[in-house]
Coordinates of all heavy atoms in Angstrom, one line a residue:
M33 N -2.2 38.8 -38.7 CA -2.1 37.4 -38.8 C -0.8 37.0 -39.1 O -0.3 35.9 -38.5 CB -3.2 36.9 -39.8 CG -3.3 35.5 -39.8 SD -4.1 34.8 -38.2 CE -4.5 33.2 -38.6
K34 N -0.2 37.6 -40.0 CA 1.2 37.1 -40.5 C 2.2 37.4 -39.3 O 3.1 36.6 -39.1 CB 1.7 37.9 -41.6 CG 1.0 37.5 -42.8 CD 1.6 38.3 -44.0 CE 0.9 37.9 -45.4 NZ 1.4 38.7 -46.5
K35 N 1.9 38.6 -38.6 CA 2.8 38.8 -37.5 C 2.8 37.7 -36.3 O 3.7 37.3 -35.7 CB 2.6 40.1 -36.8 CG 3.0 41.3 -37.7 CD 2.7 42.6 -37.1 CE 3.2 43.7 -38.0 NZ 2.9 45.0 -37.5
L36 N 1.5 37.3 -36.1 CA 1.3 36.3 -35.1 C 1.9 35.0 -35.4 O 2.6 34.3 -34.7 CB -0.3 36.1 -34.9 CG -0.7 35.1 -34.0 CD1 -0.2 35.4 -32.5 CD2 -2.1 34.8 -34.0
M37 N 1.8 34.6 -36.7 CA 2.4 33.4 -37.2 C 4.0 33.5 -37.1 O 4.6 32.5 -36.6 CB 2.0 33.1 -38.6 CG 0.6 32.6 -38.7 SD 0.2 31.2 -37.8 CE 1.0 30.0 -38.8
L38 N 4.5 34.6 -37.4 CA 6.0 34.8 -37.2 C 6.4 34.7 -35.8 O 7.4 34.1 -35.5 CB 6.3 36.2 -37.9 CG 7.8 36.6 -37.9 CD1 8.4 35.5 -38.9 CD2 8.0 37.9 -38.4
V39 N 5.6 35.3 -34.9 CA 6.0 35.2 -33.4 C 5.8 33.8 -33.0 O 6.7 33.3 -32.2 CB 5.1 36.1 -32.5 CG1 5.2 35.9 -31.2 CG2 5.3 37.6 -32.9
L40 N 4.9 33.1 -33.3 CA 4.7 31.8 -33.0 C 5.8 30.7 -33.5 O 6.3 30.0 -32.8 CB 3.4 31.1 -33.4 CG 2.1 31.6 -32.7 CD1 0.8 31.1 -33.3 CD2 2.2 31.3 -31.3
C41 N 6.4 31.1 -34.8 CA 7.4 30.3 -35.3 C 8.7 30.5 -34.6 O 9.5 29.6 -34.3 CB 7.5 30.6 -36.9 SG 6.3 30.0 -37.9
F42 N 8.9 31.9 -34.2 CA 10.1 32.2 -33.5 C 10.0 31.5 -32.1 O 11.1 31.0 -31.6 CB 10.4 33.7 -33.4 CG 11.0 34.2 -34.6 CD1 10.4 35.2 -35.3 CD2 12.2 33.8 -35.1 CE1 11.0 35.8 -36.5 CE2 12.9 34.2 -36.2 CZ 12.2 35.4 -37.0
G43 N 8.9 31.6 -31.4 CA 8.8 31.0 -30.1 C 9.0 29.5 -30.2 O 9.7 29.0 -29.3
F44 N 8.4 28.8 -31.2 CA 8.7 27.3 -31.2 C 10.1 27.1 -31.5 O 10.8 26.2 -30.9 CB 7.9 26.7 -32.5 CG 8.1 25.3 -32.6 CD1 7.6 24.4 -31.7 CD2 8.9 24.9 -33.8 CE1 7.9 23.0 -31.8 CE2 9.2 23.6 -33.9 CZ 8.6 22.7 -32.9
A45 N 10.9 27.8 -32.4 CA 12.3 27.7 -32.6 C 13.0 27.9 -31.4 O 14.0 27.2 -31.0 CB 12.8 28.6 -33.7
F46 N 12.7 28.9 -30.5 CA 13.5 29.0 -29.3 C 13.3 28.0 -28.3 O 14.2 27.4 -27.7 CB 13.0 30.4 -28.7 CG 13.6 30.8 -27.4 CD1 14.9 31.1 -27.2 CD2 12.9 30.5 -26.2 CE1 15.5 31.3 -26.0 CE2 13.4 30.7 -24.9 CZ 14.7 31.2 -24.8
V47 N 12.0 27.5 -28.2 CA 11.8 26.4 -27.2 C 12.5 25.1 -27.7 O 13.2 24.4 -26.8 CB 10.3 26.1 -27.1 CG1 10.0 24.8 -26.4 CG2 9.7 27.3 -26.5
A48 N 12.5 24.8 -29.1 CA 13.1 23.6 -29.5 C 14.6 23.7 -29.4 O 15.3 22.7 -29.0 CB 12.8 23.4 -30.9
S49 N 15.2 24.8 -29.6 CA 16.6 25.0 -29.5 C 17.1 25.0 -28.1 O 18.2 24.5 -27.7 CB 17.2 26.2 -30.2 OG 16.7 27.3 -29.6
S50 N 16.4 25.5 -27.2 CA 16.8 25.5 -25.7 C 16.8 24.2 -25.1 O 17.7 23.9 -24.3 CB 15.8 26.4 -25.0 OG 14.6 25.9 -24.9
S51 N 16.0 23.2 -25.6 CA 15.9 21.8 -25.1 C 17.2 21.1 -25.6 O 17.7 20.3 -24.9 CB 14.7 21.1 -25.4 OG 14.6 20.9 -26.8
V52 N 17.5 21.4 -26.8 CA 18.7 20.8 -27.4 C 20.0 21.2 -26.6 O 20.8 20.5 -26.3 CB 18.9 21.0 -28.9 CG1 20.1 20.6 -29.5 CG2 17.8 20.4 -29.6
M53 N 20.0 22.5 -26.3 CA 21.2 23.0 -25.6 C 21.1 22.5 -24.2 O 22.3 22.4 -23.7 CB 21.2 24.6 -25.6 CG 21.4 25.1 -27.1 SD 21.3 26.9 -27.2 CE 22.8 27.3 -26.4
A54 N 20.1 22.4 -23.6 CA 20.1 21.8 -22.2 C 20.6 20.4 -22.1 O 21.3 20.1 -21.3 CB 18.6 21.9 -21.7
G55 N 20.4 19.6 -23.2 CA 20.9 18.3 -23.2 C 22.4 18.2 -23.2 O 23.1 17.5 -22.7
S56 N 23.0 19.1 -24.1 CA 24.4 19.3 -24.2 C 25.0 19.8 -22.8 O 26.2 19.3 -22.4 CB 24.9 20.2 -25.3 OG 24.5 21.3 -25.1
Q57 N 24.3 20.7 -22.1 CA 24.8 21.2 -20.9 C 24.7 20.1 -19.8 O 25.7 19.9 -19.1 CB 24.0 22.5 -20.4 CG 24.3 23.0 -19.2 CD 25.8 23.7 -19.2 OE1 26.2 23.9 -20.3 NE2 26.4 23.9 -18.1
Q58 N 23.7 19.3 -20.0 CA 23.6 18.2 -19.0 C 24.7 17.2 -19.1 O 25.3 16.7 -18.2 CB 22.3 17.4 -19.2 CG 21.1 18.3 -18.6 CD 19.8 17.6 -18.8 OE1 19.6 16.8 -19.9 NE2 18.8 17.9 -18.0
N59 N 25.1 16.9 -20.4 CA 26.1 16.0 -20.6 C 27.4 16.5 -20.2 O 28.3 15.7 -19.7 CB 26.2 15.7 -22.2 CG 25.1 15.0 -22.8 OD1 24.5 14.2 -21.9 ND2 25.0 15.0 -24.0
K60 N 27.7 17.8 -20.3 CA 28.9 18.4 -19.8 C 28.9 18.3 -18.2 O 30.0 18.1 -17.6 CB 29.0 20.0 -20.3 CG 30.3 20.4 -20.0 CD 30.6 21.7 -20.7 CE 32.1 22.1 -20.5 NZ 32.5 23.2 -21.3
M61 N 27.7 18.5 -17.6 CA 27.7 18.5 -16.2 C 28.0 17.1 -15.7 O 28.8 16.9 -14.7 CB 26.3 18.9 -15.7 CG 26.2 18.9 -14.2 SD 27.2 20.1 -13.3 CE 25.9 20.9 -12.5
K62 N 27.5 16.0 -16.4 CA 27.7 14.7 -16.1 C 29.3 14.4 -16.2 O 29.9 13.8 -15.4 CB 27.0 13.7 -17.0 CG 25.7 13.7 -16.7 CD 24.8 12.6 -17.6 CE 23.3 12.7 -17.3 NZ 22.6 11.9 -18.3
G63 N 30.0 14.9 -17.3 CA 31.4 14.7 -17.5 C 32.2 15.4 -16.5 O 33.1 14.7 -15.9
C64 N 31.8 16.5 -16.0 CA 32.5 17.3 -15.1 C 32.3 16.6 -13.7 O 33.3 16.4 -12.9 CB 32.0 18.7 -14.8 SG 32.4 19.7 -16.3
N65 N 31.1 16.1 -13.4 CA 31.0 15.3 -12.2 C 31.9 14.0 -12.1 O 32.5 13.8 -11.1 CB 29.5 14.9 -12.0 CG 28.8 16.0 -11.2 OD1 29.2 16.7 -10.6 ND2 27.4 16.1 -11.7
A66 N 32.0 13.3 -13.3 CA 32.7 12.2 -13.3 C 34.2 12.5 -13.1 O 35.0 11.8 -12.4 CB 32.5 11.6 -14.6
E67 N 34.7 13.6 -13.8 CA 36.1 14.0 -13.6 C 36.4 14.4 -12.2 O 37.4 14.0 -11.6 CB 36.3 15.2 -14.5 CG 36.6 14.7 -16.0 CD 37.1 15.8 -16.9 OE1 37.8 16.8 -16.5 OE2 36.8 15.7 -18.1
S68 N 35.5 15.1 -11.5 CA 35.7 15.4 -10.0 C 35.8 14.3 -9.1 O 36.6 14.3 -8.3 CB 34.8 16.5 -9.7 OG 33.4 15.9 -9.4
K69 N 35.0 13.3 -9.4 CA 34.9 12.1 -8.7 C 36.2 11.3 -8.9 O 36.8 10.8 -8.0 CB 33.7 11.2 -8.9 CG 32.4 11.7 -8.3 CD 31.3 10.7 -8.7 CE 30.0 11.2 -8.1 NZ 28.8 10.4 -8.5
E70 N 36.6 11.3 -10.1 CA 37.8 10.4 -10.4 C 39.0 11.1 -9.8 O 40.0 10.5 -9.3 CB 38.0 10.6 -12.0 CG 39.2 9.8 -12.5 CD 39.2 9.8 -13.9 OE1 38.3 9.5 -14.6 OE2 40.3 10.3 -14.5
A71 N 39.1 12.4 -9.7 CA 40.1 13.2 -9.1 C 40.1 13.1 -7.5 O 41.0 13.6 -6.9 CB 40.3 14.6 -9.6
G72 N 38.9 12.7 -7.0 CA 38.7 12.8 -5.7 C 38.5 14.2 -4.9 O 38.8 14.4 -3.8
L73 N 38.0 15.0 -5.7 CA 37.8 16.4 -5.3 C 36.7 16.5 -4.3 O 35.6 16.0 -4.7 CB 37.7 17.4 -6.5 CG 38.9 17.4 -7.4 CD1 38.6 18.4 -8.5 CD2 40.1 17.9 -6.7
K74 N 36.8 17.4 -3.3 CA 35.6 17.6 -2.4 C 35.7 19.1 -1.9 O 36.7 19.7 -2.0 CB 35.8 16.7 -1.1 CG 35.6 15.2 -1.6 CD 35.6 14.4 -0.4 CE 35.4 12.9 -0.7 NZ 35.3 12.1 0.4
G75 N 34.6 19.6 -1.4 CA 34.4 20.9 -0.9 C 34.8 21.9 -1.8 O 34.3 22.0 -3.0
D76 N 35.6 22.9 -1.3 CA 36.0 24.1 -2.1 C 36.8 23.8 -3.5 O 36.6 24.4 -4.4 CB 36.8 25.1 -1.2 CG 36.0 25.8 -0.2 OD1 34.7 25.9 -0.5 OD2 36.5 26.3 0.7
E77 N 37.7 22.7 -3.3 CA 38.4 22.3 -4.5 C 37.5 21.8 -5.6 O 37.6 22.2 -6.8 CB 39.4 21.1 -4.1 CG 40.5 21.4 -3.4 CD 41.3 20.1 -3.1 OE1 40.7 19.1 -2.9 OE2 42.5 20.3 -3.2
R78 N 36.4 21.1 -5.2 CA 35.4 20.7 -6.2 C 34.6 21.8 -6.8 O 34.4 21.9 -8.0 CB 34.5 19.7 -5.6 CG 33.5 19.1 -6.6 CD 32.5 18.1 -5.9 NE 31.6 17.5 -6.9 CZ 30.5 18.0 -7.5 NH1 30.2 19.3 -7.2 NH2 29.8 17.4 -8.3
K79 N 34.3 22.8 -6.0 CA 33.6 24.0 -6.5 C 34.4 24.7 -7.5 O 33.9 25.1 -8.5 CB 33.2 24.9 -5.3 CG 32.0 24.4 -4.5 CD 31.8 25.4 -3.4 CE 30.7 25.0 -2.4 NZ 30.5 25.9 -1.3
V80 N 35.7 24.9 -7.2 CA 36.5 25.7 -8.1 C 36.7 24.9 -9.4 O 36.7 25.4 -10.6 CB 38.0 25.9 -7.5 CG1 38.9 26.4 -8.6 CG2 37.8 26.9 -6.3
F81 N 36.9 23.5 -9.3 CA 37.0 22.7 -10.5 C 35.7 22.7 -11.3 O 35.8 22.8 -12.6 CB 37.3 21.2 -10.1 CG 37.2 20.3 -11.3 CD1 38.2 20.3 -12.2 CD2 36.1 19.5 -11.5 CE1 38.2 19.5 -13.3 CE2 36.1 18.7 -12.6 CZ 37.1 18.7 -13.5
M82 N 34.6 22.6 -10.7 CA 33.2 22.6 -11.4 C 33.1 23.8 -12.2 O 32.7 23.9 -13.3 CB 32.1 22.3 -10.4 CG 32.2 20.9 -9.9 SD 32.0 19.7 -11.3 CE 30.2 19.8 -11.6
K83 N 33.4 25.0 -11.6 CA 33.2 26.3 -12.1 C 34.2 26.4 -13.4 O 33.7 26.7 -14.5 CB 33.6 27.4 -11.2 CG 33.4 28.9 -11.8 CD 33.6 29.9 -10.7 CE 33.3 31.2 -11.3 NZ 33.3 32.3 -10.4
K84 N 35.4 25.9 -13.3 CA 36.3 25.9 -14.4 C 35.9 25.0 -15.5 O 35.9 25.2 -16.7 CB 37.7 25.5 -13.9 CG 38.8 25.5 -15.0 CD 40.2 25.1 -14.4 CE 40.8 23.9 -15.2 NZ 41.9 23.5 -14.6
C85 N 35.4 23.7 -15.0 CA 35.0 22.7 -16.0 C 33.8 23.1 -16.8 O 33.7 22.8 -18.0 CB 34.7 21.4 -15.2 SG 34.4 20.0 -16.3
L86 N 32.8 23.8 -16.2 CA 31.6 24.2 -16.8 C 31.7 25.4 -17.7 O 30.8 25.8 -18.3 CB 30.4 24.4 -15.8 CG 30.0 23.0 -15.1 CD1 29.2 23.4 -14.0 CD2 29.4 22.1 -16.1
S87 N 32.9 26.0 -17.7 CA 33.1 27.2 -18.5 C 33.2 26.7 -20.0 O 33.2 25.6 -20.3 CB 34.4 27.9 -18.0 OG 35.5 27.1 -18.4
K88 N 33.1 27.8 -20.8 CA 32.8 27.6 -22.3 C 34.2 26.9 -22.9 O 34.0 26.1 -23.7 CB 32.6 28.8 -22.9 CG 31.9 28.7 -24.2 CD 31.3 30.1 -24.7 CE 30.3 29.8 -25.8 NZ 29.7 31.0 -26.3
G89 N 35.3 27.3 -22.4 CA 36.5 26.9 -23.1 C 37.1 25.5 -22.6 O 38.0 25.0 -23.2
Y90 N 36.5 25.0 -21.5 CA 37.0 23.6 -21.0 C 36.7 22.5 -21.8 O 35.4 22.4 -22.2 CB 36.5 23.6 -19.5 CG 37.3 22.4 -18.9 CD1 38.4 22.5 -18.2 CD2 36.6 21.2 -18.8 CE1 39.1 21.5 -17.6 CE2 37.2 20.0 -18.1 CZ 38.4 20.3 -17.5 OH 39.1 19.2 -16.9
V91 N 37.6 21.7 -22.1 CA 37.4 20.4 -22.9 C 37.4 19.2 -21.9 O 38.4 19.1 -21.2 CB 38.3 20.3 -24.0 CG1 38.1 19.0 -24.8 CG2 38.2 21.4 -25.0
L92 N 36.4 18.4 -21.8 CA 36.4 17.3 -21.0 C 37.4 16.3 -21.4 O 37.7 16.1 -22.6 CB 35.0 16.6 -21.0 CG 33.9 17.4 -20.4 CD1 32.5 16.8 -20.7 CD2 34.1 17.5 -18.8
K93 N 38.0 15.5 -20.5 CA 38.9 14.5 -20.8 C 38.6 13.5 -21.6 O 39.2 13.1 -22.6 CB 39.5 13.9 -19.5 CG 40.3 14.7 -18.6 CD 40.7 14.0 -17.3 CE 41.5 14.9 -16.3 NZ 41.8 14.3 -15.1
A94 N 37.3 13.0 -21.5 CA 36.6 12.1 -22.4 C 36.5 12.6 -23.8 O 36.8 11.8 -24.8 CB 35.3 11.7 -21.9
Q95 N 36.2 13.9 -24.1 CA 36.2 14.5 -25.4 C 37.6 14.7 -25.9 O 37.8 14.5 -27.2 CB 35.4 15.8 -25.4 CG 34.0 15.7 -25.0 CD 33.3 17.0 -24.9 OE1 34.0 18.0 -24.7 NE2 32.1 17.0 -25.1
A96 N 38.5 15.0 -25.1 CA 39.9 15.2 -25.6 C 40.5 13.9 -26.0 O 41.3 13.9 -27.0 CB 40.8 15.8 -24.4
A97 N 40.0 12.7 -25.4 CA 40.6 11.3 -25.8 C 39.9 10.9 -27.0 O 40.3 9.9 -27.5 CB 40.4 10.5 -24.5
G98 N 38.8 11.5 -27.4 CA 38.1 11.1 -28.6 C 36.8 10.5 -28.3 O 36.0 10.1 -29.4
A99 N 36.3 10.2 -27.2 CA 35.1 9.6 -26.9 C 34.0 10.8 -26.9 O 34.2 11.8 -26.2 CB 35.1 9.0 -25.5
S100 N 33.0 10.6 -27.6 CA 32.0 11.7 -27.8 C 30.8 11.4 -26.9 O 30.0 12.3 -26.7 CB 31.6 11.8 -29.2 OG 31.0 10.5 -29.8
A101 N 30.5 10.2 -26.6 CA 29.3 10.0 -25.7 C 29.5 8.7 -24.9 O 30.4 8.0 -25.1 CB 28.1 9.6 -26.6
P102 N 28.8 8.7 -23.8 CA 29.0 7.5 -22.8 C 28.7 6.2 -23.6 O 27.8 6.2 -24.5 CB 28.0 7.8 -21.8 CG 27.5 9.2 -21.8 CD 27.9 9.7 -23.2
I103 N 29.4 5.3 -23.2 CA 29.3 4.0 -23.9 C 27.9 3.2 -23.6 O 27.4 2.6 -24.4 CB 30.5 3.1 -23.6 CG1 31.8 3.6 -24.2 CG2 30.3 1.8 -24.2 CD1 33.1 3.0 -23.7
A104 N 27.6 3.5 -22.4 CA 26.3 2.7 -22.0 C 25.1 3.2 -22.6 O 24.1 2.5 -22.7 CB 26.1 3.0 -20.4
A105 N 25.0 4.4 -23.1 CA 23.8 4.9 -23.7 C 23.3 4.0 -24.9 O 22.2 3.7 -25.0 CB 23.9 6.4 -24.2
P106 N 24.1 3.8 -25.8 CA 23.7 3.1 -27.0 C 23.1 1.6 -26.6 O 22.2 1.1 -27.1 CB 24.8 2.9 -28.0 CG 25.7 4.0 -27.7 CD 25.4 4.2 -26.2
A107 N 23.8 1.0 -25.7 CA 23.4 -0.4 -25.1 C 22.0 -0.3 -24.6 O 21.1 -1.1 -24.8 CB 24.4 -0.9 -24.1
Q108 N 21.7 0.7 -23.8 CA 20.4 0.9 -23.1 C 19.4 1.2 -24.2 O 18.2 0.7 -24.1 CB 20.5 2.2 -22.1 CG 19.2 2.4 -21.4 CD 18.8 1.2 -20.5 OE1 19.7 0.4 -20.1 NE2 17.6 1.1 -20.0
Q109 N 19.7 2.0 -25.2 CA 18.8 2.2 -26.3 C 18.5 1.0 -27.1 O 17.3 0.6 -27.4 CB 19.3 3.3 -27.2 CG 19.3 4.7 -26.7 CD 20.0 5.7 -27.6 OE1 20.6 5.3 -28.6 NE2 19.7 7.0 -27.4
D110 N 19.4 0.2 -27.3 CA 19.3 -1.1 -28.0 C 18.4 -2.1 -27.1 O 17.4 -2.7 -27.7 CB 20.5 -1.8 -28.3 CG 21.4 -1.1 -29.4 OD1 20.8 -0.3 -30.2 OD2 22.6 -1.4 -29.5
K111 N 18.6 -2.1 -25.9 CA 17.8 -2.9 -24.9 C 16.4 -2.4 -24.9 O 15.5 -3.3 -25.0 CB 18.5 -2.8 -23.5 CG 18.0 -3.9 -22.6 CD 18.7 -3.9 -21.4 CE 18.6 -5.1 -20.5 NZ 19.4 -5.1 -19.3
M112 N 16.1 -1.1 -24.9 CA 14.7 -0.6 -25.0 C 14.0 -1.0 -26.2 O 12.9 -1.3 -26.1 CB 14.9 0.9 -24.8 CG 13.5 1.5 -24.7 SD 12.7 1.1 -23.3 CE 12.1 2.7 -22.6
K113 N 14.8 -0.8 -27.2 CA 14.1 -1.3 -28.6 C 13.7 -2.7 -28.6 O 12.7 -3.1 -29.0 CB 15.0 -1.0 -29.8 CG 15.3 0.5 -30.0 CD 16.2 0.7 -31.2 CE 16.4 2.2 -31.5 NZ 17.5 2.4 -32.6
S114 N 14.6 -3.5 -28.1 CA 14.4 -5.1 -28.1 C 13.2 -5.3 -27.1 O 12.4 -6.1 -27.5 CB 15.7 -5.8 -27.6 OG 15.4 -7.0 -27.4
C115 N 13.2 -4.7 -26.0 CA 12.1 -5.0 -25.0 C 10.7 -4.5 -25.6 O 9.7 -5.1 -25.5 CB 12.3 -4.2 -23.7 SG 13.7 -5.1 -22.7
N116 N 10.8 -3.3 -26.3 CA 9.6 -2.8 -26.9 C 9.1 -3.8 -28.1 O 7.8 -4.0 -28.2 CB 9.8 -1.4 -27.5 CG 9.5 -0.3 -26.7 OD1 8.6 -0.3 -25.8 ND2 10.3 0.8 -26.8
A117 N 10.0 -4.2 -28.9 CA 9.7 -5.2 -29.9 C 9.0 -6.5 -29.2 O 7.9 -7.0 -29.8 CB 10.8 -5.5 -30.7
D118 N 9.6 -7.0 -28.2 CA 9.0 -8.2 -27.6 C 7.6 -7.9 -27.0 O 6.8 -8.8 -27.2 CB 10.0 -8.6 -26.4 CG 11.4 -9.2 -27.0 OD1 11.5 -9.4 -28.2 OD2 12.3 -9.4 -26.1
A119 N 7.5 -6.7 -26.3 CA 6.2 -6.4 -25.8 C 5.1 -6.4 -27.0 O 4.0 -6.7 -26.7 CB 6.3 -5.2 -25.0
K120 N 5.6 -5.7 -28.0 CA 4.6 -5.6 -29.1 C 4.2 -7.0 -29.7 O 3.0 -7.2 -30.0 CB 5.2 -4.7 -30.2 CG 4.3 -4.3 -31.3 CD 4.9 -3.3 -32.3 CE 4.0 -2.9 -33.2 NZ 4.5 -1.9 -34.3
T121 N 5.1 -7.9 -29.9 CA 4.8 -9.1 -30.5 C 4.0 -9.9 -29.5 O 3.2 -10.8 -30.1 CB 6.1 -9.9 -30.8 OG1 6.9 -10.1 -29.7 CG2 6.9 -9.3 -31.9
K122 N 4.2 -9.9 -28.3 CA 3.4 -10.5 -27.3 C 2.0 -9.9 -27.1 O 1.1 -10.4 -26.5 CB 4.0 -10.5 -25.9 CG 5.3 -11.4 -25.8 CD 5.9 -11.4 -24.6 CE 7.2 -12.4 -24.7 NZ 7.8 -12.4 -23.3
G123 N 1.9 -8.7 -27.6 CA 0.5 -7.9 -27.6 C 0.2 -7.5 -26.3 O -1.0 -7.4 -25.9
L124 N 1.2 -7.1 -25.4 CA 1.0 -6.6 -24.1 C 0.5 -5.2 -24.1 O 1.0 -4.4 -24.9 CB 2.3 -6.8 -23.2 CG 2.9 -8.2 -23.1 CD1 4.2 -8.2 -22.4 CD2 1.8 -9.1 -22.4
K125 N -0.4 -4.9 -23.2 CA -0.8 -3.5 -22.9 C -1.1 -3.2 -21.5 O -1.2 -4.1 -20.7 CB -2.2 -3.4 -23.7 CG -1.9 -3.5 -25.3 CD -3.2 -3.1 -26.1 CE -2.9 -3.3 -27.4 NZ -3.7 -2.7 -28.4
G126 N -1.1 -1.9 -21.1 CA -1.4 -1.5 -19.8 C -0.5 -2.1 -18.8 O 0.8 -2.0 -19.0
D127 N -0.9 -2.5 -17.6 CA -0.1 -2.9 -16.6 C 0.8 -4.1 -16.9 O 1.9 -4.2 -16.4 CB -1.0 -3.2 -15.3 CG -1.6 -2.0 -14.7 OD1 -1.0 -0.9 -14.9 OD2 -2.7 -2.2 -14.0
E128 N 0.3 -5.0 -17.7 CA 1.1 -6.1 -18.2 C 2.2 -5.7 -18.9 O 3.4 -6.2 -18.7 CB 0.3 -7.1 -19.0 CG -0.9 -7.8 -18.3 CD -1.6 -8.8 -19.3 OE1 -1.8 -8.3 -20.4 OE2 -2.0 -9.8 -18.9
R129 N 2.1 -4.8 -19.8 CA 3.2 -4.3 -20.6 C 4.2 -3.5 -19.7 O 5.5 -3.7 -19.8 CB 2.7 -3.3 -21.6 CG 3.9 -2.8 -22.6 CD 3.3 -1.9 -23.7 NE 4.2 -1.6 -24.7 CZ 5.4 -0.9 -24.5 NH1 5.6 -0.3 -23.4 NH2 6.2 -0.7 -25.6
K130 N 3.7 -2.7 -18.8 CA 4.6 -2.0 -17.8 C 5.4 -2.9 -17.0 O 6.7 -2.7 -16.9 CB 3.7 -1.1 -16.9 CG 4.5 -0.1 -16.2 CD 3.5 0.8 -15.4 CE 4.2 2.0 -14.6 NZ 3.3 2.9 -13.9
S131 N 4.8 -4.0 -16.5 CA 5.7 -4.9 -15.7 C 6.6 -5.7 -16.4 O 7.7 -5.9 -16.0 CB 4.7 -5.8 -14.8 OG 4.0 -6.7 -15.8
F132 N 6.2 -6.0 -17.6 CA 7.1 -6.8 -18.7 C 8.3 -5.9 -19.0 O 9.5 -6.3 -18.9 CB 6.4 -7.1 -19.9 CG 7.4 -7.7 -21.0 CD1 7.8 -9.0 -20.9 CD2 7.8 -6.8 -21.9 CE1 8.7 -9.4 -21.8 CE2 8.7 -7.3 -23.0 CZ 9.1 -8.6 -22.8
M133 N 8.1 -4.6 -19.3 CA 9.1 -3.6 -19.6 C 10.1 -3.5 -18.5 O 11.3 -3.4 -18.7 CB 8.6 -2.3 -20.1 CG 7.9 -2.4 -21.4 SD 8.9 -2.8 -22.8 CE 9.9 -1.3 -22.9
T134 N 9.6 -3.4 -17.3 CA 10.4 -3.2 -16.0 C 11.4 -4.4 -15.9 O 12.6 -4.3 -15.7 CB 9.5 -3.0 -14.8 OG1 8.7 -1.9 -15.1 CG2 10.4 -2.8 -13.5
S135 N 10.7 -5.6 -16.0 CA 11.6 -6.8 -15.8 C 12.6 -7.0 -17.0 O 13.7 -7.3 -16.8 CB 10.8 -8.0 -15.6 OG 10.1 -8.2 -16.8
C136 N 12.2 -6.7 -18.1 CA 13.0 -6.8 -19.4 C 14.3 -5.9 -19.3 O 15.3 -6.3 -19.5 CB 12.2 -6.5 -20.6 SG 13.1 -6.7 -22.1
L137 N 13.9 -4.7 -18.8 CA 15.1 -3.6 -18.8 C 16.1 -3.9 -17.7 O 17.2 -3.5 -17.8 CB 14.5 -2.2 -18.8 CG 13.8 -1.8 -20.0 CD1 13.0 -0.4 -19.7 CD2 14.7 -1.6 -21.2
K138 N 15.6 -4.5 -16.6 CA 16.4 -4.8 -15.4 C 17.3 -6.0 -15.9 O 18.5 -6.0 -15.5 CB 15.7 -5.3 -14.3 CG 15.1 -4.1 -13.6 CD 14.3 -4.4 -12.3 CE 13.7 -3.3 -11.6 NZ 12.9 -3.7 -10.6
G139 N 16.7 -7.1 -16.5 CA 17.5 -8.3 -16.7 C 18.3 -8.3 -18.0 O 19.3 -8.2 -18.3

């Protein structure tokens, strides 16, 4: 029984840590894509750049300049919180809430 619990704990830790690492890899991929577009790279040049950019030692320009995260993310999160609060105070549920959230997040 103790072995089973130990295995389950390690399995959960592995799954939880892999999702966190996937998020950082996705962020790096987004940054590399942005840099390649900014430089106007296409075809083989882009492939070579992306391989170099996604390597462990490469530092993105945005990180080197001191920016740690995209600026748009906090604004979107704040908007989501605001829209959620509005929907809650109006007591919206189901399809009404869904349509309200869609229009609120667009506008």
